[in-house]
Amino acid sequence: VDYGSKFVGQEMQNSTIKGFKDLTVRMIQRGEHAFLPPFDESLVIRPRDILVVSGTKKDLAQLYAKSSEDLANTSAVGNAEEA
């Protein structure tokens, strides 16, 4: 997550990102610490966090299309489910 991103400050309730209800956050990497669901209600996204998300190819493409400027070093690696 890049500095100034609209994701910064979002609370991680229900393992979802606001505006992307069909994507699930599987892990947040912050420095050397990994946060796994269920996330504590006080956990918020910070600049330079790495979010590992899962969803369909369509959902991941939609995230990238709508928010690529908010994400640093975006890469969609792994197996996404077909829509």
Side-chain angles (χ1 to χ4, degrees), residues 1-3 5 48-50 67-75:
V1 177
D2 213 351
Y3 291 91
S5 167
R48 307 310 295 167
D49 279 353
I50 298 171
S67 304
S68 61
E69 67 280 355
D70 292 312
L71 306 171
N73 300 317
T74 305
S75 64

Side-chain angles (χ1 to χ4, degrees), residues 3-35:
Y3 291 91
S5 167
K6 64 184 174 190
F7 300 123
V8 171
Q10 283 191 26
E11 294 178 354
M12 285 309 310
Q13 297 174 349
N14 304 322
S15 299
T16 60
I17 300 172
K18 188 176 180 180
F20 298 94
K21 64 179 174 66
D22 294 326
L23 293 176
T24 302
V25 178
R26 300 291 184 185
M27 182 181 79
I28 297 175
Q29 183 74 37
R30 182 175 292 158
E32 294 185 20
H33 187 76
F35 297 92

